[in-house]
Amino acid sequence: MTISKSILPVCFLLVASIGADVASAFSPAPVTLSKRSGADYRSKQLCSAVTDLSDDILTDPMFIEPLGPPPADVPNGKSPEELITIAKRFLLTSKGLGGDPDMLAETFQFEGPVVGPLPKDEFVKAIGSVDFDTAFPNWTPQFYGFHVDPLEGDRVWYTARGFGKNEGPLLPFSPEPTGRMVENPPQVCSLTIDHETGLITKYTIGYVTDRSIGNTGGLGGLYGILYAIGKPLPFPEANPWKKSKQYAFFQWIGSLINP
């Protein structure tokens, strides 16, 4: 039911008037509470509400619990802790940019929001062509939130950030250091690991979860770093998101339908 805007002020006045009469008729005698006792009462009410709801929350099937031991039907299955350790070891070998090629399976694939999928040889070649340590000798990688996907028991998810100053050349993109700081936004990444061999079969990075954080224009991976140091690549996918004419037209139509 739609209520006219002109009627709303009248409705508010009626509710206020009736509410005052009803409140005076049915309210018990006032009780004087100290500030402390009032705060304690509200605290107890809140705790009671949380306790009452906790059972429903914990048993609701929409909330999926973390994985425990590996399933019995997985040969040589590794525990979540073992999979996470493999993922961290891979990241540690190169400060989180790429990793040890010997830890990659022959069927390995790399994939980002707009890059890939790349097979193992192409990925190793691409990573080897970028000397990140020279460009960012004091880079501070930040990885956290490691967990094994409860729906994909061989996949480790984590969040990546990081910051540092461009103090050296980043060939072939930037022959000279720019002296600019880079602050990455949070990016969701994953490593899929073969239970039997312990080798990595898939690597995904660069999926930004909040483009308002950092100074990469909302971009992840190398595209974001290049943008932050003032050396963006010359195509739309390597630059901050801009509203398309089609999207602007679609929004304009929507504003006419729902003024």
Side-chain angles (χ1 to χ4, degrees):
M1 178 179 67
T2 303
I3 301 176
S4 171
K5 294 181 179 179
S6 62
I7 299 177
L8 286 177
V10 179
C11 292
F12 291 147
L13 289 173
L14 288 174
V15 170
S17 175
I18 295 172
D21 293 340
V22 172
S24 61
F26 292 97
S27 296
V31 177
T32 302
L33 295 175
S34 67
K35 291 184 179 179
R36 179 62 187 169
S37 62
D40 290 343
Y41 177 70
R42 289 191 295 273
S43 177
K44 289 178 180 178
Q45 279 188 317
L46 178 60
C47 291
S48 176
V50 171
T51 303
D52 292 343
L53 292 175
S54 62
D55 290 341
D56 293 338
I57 293 173
L58 294 176
T59 58
D60 195 299
M62 72 179 287
F63 300 113
I64 302 175
E65 292 300 312
L67 286 180
D73 60 344
V74 177
N76 302 315
K78 291 178 170 50
S79 68
E81 291 76 15
E82 290 174 306
L83 294 174
I84 290 172
T85 298
I86 293 172
K88 289 182 177 180
R89 184 179 297 118
F90 176 75
L91 296 172
L92 189 62
T93 60
S94 62
K95 294 185 179 179
L97 185 73
D100 185 355
D102 291 336
M103 297 183 68
L104 307 179
E106 291 304 315
T107 57
F108 169 86
Q109 285 194 326
F110 169 82
E111 192 169 344
V114 298
V115 176
L118 299 179
K120 177 180 177 179
D121 56 345
E122 290 185 29
F123 170 74
V124 172
K125 183 179 179 180
I127 290 297
S129 66
V130 179
D131 189 353
F132 193 78
D133 284 340
T134 298
F136 293 89
N138 296 304
W139 180 260
T140 302
Q142 299 169 311
F143 302 106
Y144 55 94
F146 286 83
H147 65 281
V148 176
D149 192 318
L151 303 181
E152 298 178 71
D154 56 355
R155 192 170 196 175
V156 178
W157 291 98
Y158 61 96
T159 299
R161 292 201 191 192
F163 61 91
K165 186 177 181 180
N166 178 213
E167 301 178 74
L170 184 58
L171 299 175
F173 310 104
S174 180
E176 300 293 333
T178 64
R180 295 190 182 187
M181 284 293 299
V182 175
E183 182 184 352
N184 272 333
Q187 304 167 54
V188 172
C189 312
S190 76
L191 288 161
T192 303
I193 302 166
D194 184 274
H195 272 273
E196 188 167 0
T197 65
L199 296 176
I200 296 166
T201 59
K202 187 176 183 180
Y203 183 23
T204 65
I205 67 169
Y207 294 88
V208 174
T209 58
D210 188 344
R211 56 192 172 95
S212 68
I213 294 177
N215 65 344
T216 68
L219 299 167
L222 184 59
Y223 289 170
I225 291 171
L226 291 174
Y227 176 81
I229 65 173
K231 302 291 183 179
L233 295 176
F235 46 85
E237 291 83 356
N239 285 270
W241 176 85
K242 290 184 179 180
K243 186 187 297 185
S244 67
K245 294 179 180 179
Q246 295 91 329
Y247 185 31
F249 177 74
F250 181 81
Q251 288 185 314
W252 178 71
I253 294 295
S255 67
L256 296 180
I257 297 175
N258 299 296

